[in-house]
Amino acid sequence: MLNTDHHLLVGPGAQEFARNMGLPIEPDLNTETSRRLWLEWKRRTDPGHYLDPAKREGSALQTTLEMAKEGLIDPEHVWGTINCNGINPKGEIAGVTTTSGLAFKIPGRVGDSPILGAGLYVDGQVGAAGSTGRGEANLYNLSSYLIIEELRRGRHPKDAGMEALRRVVQNTREKRLLNEAGRPSFTLQFYIIDAKGRHAGVALNGQPQFAICDEKGPRLEPCEVLKP
């Protein structure tokens, strides 16, 4: 941000830029265990390396869940995205979304977390919104930006988040992503705070919780789930 006019660098160019800025390049972070599990996942999902693309995602997810059920993968670490938003006594707002990315993703895939307006958006005068869950849904809908714009119009964080979830439901048309009722089958959560300190966690499916820390101390609260 300080040395270029660009918003996003990826791939070899990003690494070369980091070297030019004097940042250390970390070695391969794979371990023998992570590589063994990756090879096992590949063996189960794509033994011929020519799996039908329409079946690939469903097969990959099912295999991941099976490996978690067998104890090969920690079920608490299949998904790795964390969003954290905050406001200090001066009213200054900050937000960050950090992620390991979709497990076993196709090389080169860029998720929603680094894309401003998709997995994270912050306006210091309005609020902050971030997300966990299916990143592609946020990329299609610029969900976090939509939430901030709803806050700008005066909506409560919960209502702003629900509007983004409804937009995702409206724009999800691929049959492989829908359940028997015709609703999205994937998970998606939004975490929101506005300039008044009001906050909300909303979810598309399930019964997830989110963490709050304020004058009452740290605690977990249930996310509001979008009703059919």
Side-chain angles (χ1 to χ4, degrees):
M1 291 174 63
L2 298 177
N3 293 282
T4 80
D5 188 42
H6 304 313
H7 286 235
L8 182 67
L9 295 173
V10 300
Q15 189 175 76
E16 183 63 26
F17 178 78
R19 286 197 180 98
N20 291 338
M21 292 296 101
L23 297 174
I25 303 301
E26 300 295 340
D28 186 355
L29 298 180
N30 278 316
T31 65
E32 290 185 10
T33 299
S34 67
R35 179 167 178 78
R36 176 175 56 81
L37 291 174
W38 176 75
L39 289 173
E40 174 66 9
W41 180 84
K42 289 286 287 183
R43 183 189 70 79
R44 295 190 186 193
T45 60
D46 194 5
H49 303 292
Y50 291 100
L51 188 64
D52 182 345
K55 298 179 181 178
R56 180 184 296 274
E57 183 165 345
S59 175
L61 175 59
Q62 183 62 34
T63 296
T64 299
L65 296 178
E66 288 176 359
M67 291 175 66
K69 187 176 181 180
E70 294 174 17
L72 294 173
I73 299 175
D74 184 350
E76 295 297 323
H77 292 86
V78 172
W79 326 108
T81 304
I82 298 173
N83 167 248
C84 182
N85 304 315
I87 183 171
N88 68 13
K90 297 180 181 180
E92 297 169 328
I93 301 171
V96 62
T97 298
T98 177
T99 179
S100 62
L102 182 70
F104 307 121
K105 57 189 172 292
I106 294 173
R109 181 255 188 183
V110 176
D112 63 315
S113 297
I115 306 300
L116 297 179
L120 174 71
Y121 198 74
V122 179
D123 186 314
Q125 304 302 312
V126 180
S131 178
T132 59
R134 181 173 169 79
E136 275 69 18
N138 288 330
L139 288 164
Y140 283 131
N141 294 281
L142 282 180
S143 304
S144 293
Y145 179 75
L146 171 62
I147 290 171
I148 296 303
E149 289 306 293
E150 291 297 310
L151 294 180
R152 196 188 308 278
R153 297 184 182 100
R155 302 189 76 172
H156 187 279
K158 174 188 170 183
D159 298 325
M162 288 296 182
E163 179 61 31
L165 289 176
R166 284 190 288 268
R167 186 72 60 87
V168 169
V169 171
Q170 177 183 352
N171 291 335
T172 301
R173 292 289 177 263
E174 293 182 68
K175 291 183 179 180
R176 65 187 179 84
L177 300 176
L178 302 175
N179 60 23
E180 295 80 3
R183 284 172 50 86
S185 58
F186 51 82
T187 61
L188 187 63
Q189 293 78 231
F190 297 123
Y191 314 97
I192 310 147
I193 189 169
D194 69 8
K196 299 177 182 179
R198 299 180 300 178
H199 58 266
V202 301
L204 185 59
N205 291 305
Q207 296 179 317
Q209 295 178 310
F210 69 113
I212 295 293
C213 186
D214 54 18
E215 67 277 3
K216 299 178 183 178
R219 62 191 183 279
L220 292 175
E221 293 186 359
C223 288
E224 296 278 351
V225 180
L226 179 68
K227 297 179 180 179

